[in-house]
């Protein structure tokens, strides 16, 4: 399973990368705004800074919602770095744009997926990744993990190369369950990745080992 970090914060990205388990980054206009990054030039410079930290897979989102606009913006984003994956919304013109970019050899991430039907369309159009937002589905009393299971099964049935990128991952159990269901990628905040480190028995066991070592050393 690939681990992506869902942020535009360079310090968090570097910390996750230095941990040795980071495979990519997902961002969006809201995350850019959270870091105080605005304006086309500054946003693109920030994407380049992210690319300079990680090895691959930096999802950069288009703002346009019409076909021509998405193509224009997507081409400009792809020029920033070979690591860029153009992030396209799940709308009619978005599917058309994904097909266009697929034919051009430009990787895409179809975002805002909330149904298996949407994921099926994106895969048929040639999306590199689809991003089902499981946390947001949970918020409206729908089981987001059930959607991951549906999409994984459909893709396996027909051999689609599109990878399932579980998004809106809120906590460590979301991540573990996505791994059990066969999601190819999970994108989440740094705290969720770091949360995998924690277990009370690890803490108590280490404390016991260190105490025993100190006794044996006569301390």
């Amino acid at each position: 399973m690939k681990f992506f970090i869902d942020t535009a914060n360079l310090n968090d990205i570097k910390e996750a990368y230095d941990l040795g388990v980071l495979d990519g980054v997902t961002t969006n206009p809201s995350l850019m705004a959270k870091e105080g990054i605005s304006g086309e030039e500054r946003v693109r410079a920030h994407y380049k800074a992210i690319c300079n930290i990680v090895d691959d897979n930096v999802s950069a989102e288009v703002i346009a919602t019409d076909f021509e606009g998405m193509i224009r913006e997507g081409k400009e984003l792809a020029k920033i770095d070979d690591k860029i994956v153009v992030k396209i919304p799940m709308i009619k013109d978005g599917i058309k744009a994904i097909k266009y970019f697929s034919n051009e050899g430009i990787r895409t991430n179809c975002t805002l997926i909330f149904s298996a039907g949407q994921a099926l369309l994106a895969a048929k159009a040639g999306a590199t990744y689809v991003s089902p937002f499981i946390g947001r589905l949970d918020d409206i009393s729908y089981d987001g993990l059930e959607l991951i299971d549906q999409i994984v099964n459909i893709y396996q049935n027909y051999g689609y190369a599109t990878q399932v990128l579980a998004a809106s991952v809120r906590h460590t159990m979301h991540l573990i369950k996505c791994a059990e269901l066969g999601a190819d990628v999970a994108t989440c905040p740094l705290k969720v990745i770091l949360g995998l480190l924690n277990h009370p028995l690890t803490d108590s066991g280490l404390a016991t080992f260190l105490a025993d070592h100190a006794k044996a050393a006569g301390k």
Side-chain angles (χ1 to χ4, degrees):
M1 185 187 215
K2 295 177 186 174
F3 282 7
F4 291 0
I5 187 171
D6 192 37
T7 187
N9 185 283
L10 298 181
N11 290 331
D12 282 358
I13 294 168
K14 190 171 188 311
E15 183 175 350
Y17 183 79
D18 288 346
L19 190 61
V21 299
L22 190 66
D23 300 291
V25 178
T26 55
T27 58
N28 59 46
S30 297
L31 292 172
M32 285 286 187
K34 187 177 179 181
E35 299 303 317
I37 309 298
S38 61
E40 186 175 311
E41 191 172 320
R42 290 189 66 211
V43 167
R44 291 185 182 177
H46 201 74
Y47 280 133
K48 183 61 178 177
I50 293 171
C51 290
N52 289 340
I53 296 173
V54 301
D55 296 329
D56 197 9
N57 297 303
V58 177
S59 285
E61 189 163 348
V62 299
I63 305 300
T65 56
D66 63 290
F67 176 75
E68 290 78 11
M70 284 187 274
I71 298 305
R72 183 176 59 254
E73 289 182 24
K75 285 181 175 179
E76 290 301 314
L77 290 170
K79 288 179 184 177
I80 294 172
D81 197 284
D82 290 341
K83 300 171 186 176
I84 292 290
V85 178
V86 180
K87 201 171 182 184
I88 304 288
M90 167 39 71
I91 54 178
K92 185 177 180 180
D93 275 8
I95 292 298
K96 291 167 64 178
I98 288 168
K99 182 63 176 178
Y100 175 89
F101 287 128
S102 177
N103 290 338
E104 294 294 311
I106 294 174
R107 293 178 297 170
T108 55
N109 175 0
C110 188
T111 189
L112 295 171
I113 296 284
F114 292 100
S115 75
Q118 290 177 327
L120 182 57
L121 284 173
K124 286 185 68 64
T128 311
Y129 300 101
V130 293
S131 291
F133 279 49
I134 61 175
R136 294 193 193 185
L137 284 169
D138 288 353
D139 290 343
I140 60 167
S141 301
Y142 184 90
D143 187 355
L145 291 169
E146 181 180 337
L147 177 59
I148 298 293
D149 194 25
Q150 283 182 309
I151 298 171
V152 168
N153 285 333
I154 290 170
Y155 285 6
Q156 288 177 346
N157 284 345
Y158 299 102
Y160 287 120
T162 300
Q163 296 184 47
V164 180
L165 194 167
S168 189
V169 171
R170 302 276 177 80
H171 46 73
T172 55
M173 283 311 299
H174 262 166
L175 196 157
I176 294 298
K177 288 297 183 182
C178 285
E180 287 181 343
L181 292 169
D184 300 285
V185 190
T187 187
C188 54
L190 177 62
K191 66 178 182 180
V192 175
I193 296 174
L194 295 179
L196 296 174
L197 293 167
N198 300 327
H199 196 286
L201 293 180
T202 300
D203 296 338
S204 62
L206 181 59
T208 299
F209 295 156
L210 292 174
D212 289 344
H213 174 73
K215 287 179 183 178
K219 296 180 181 179

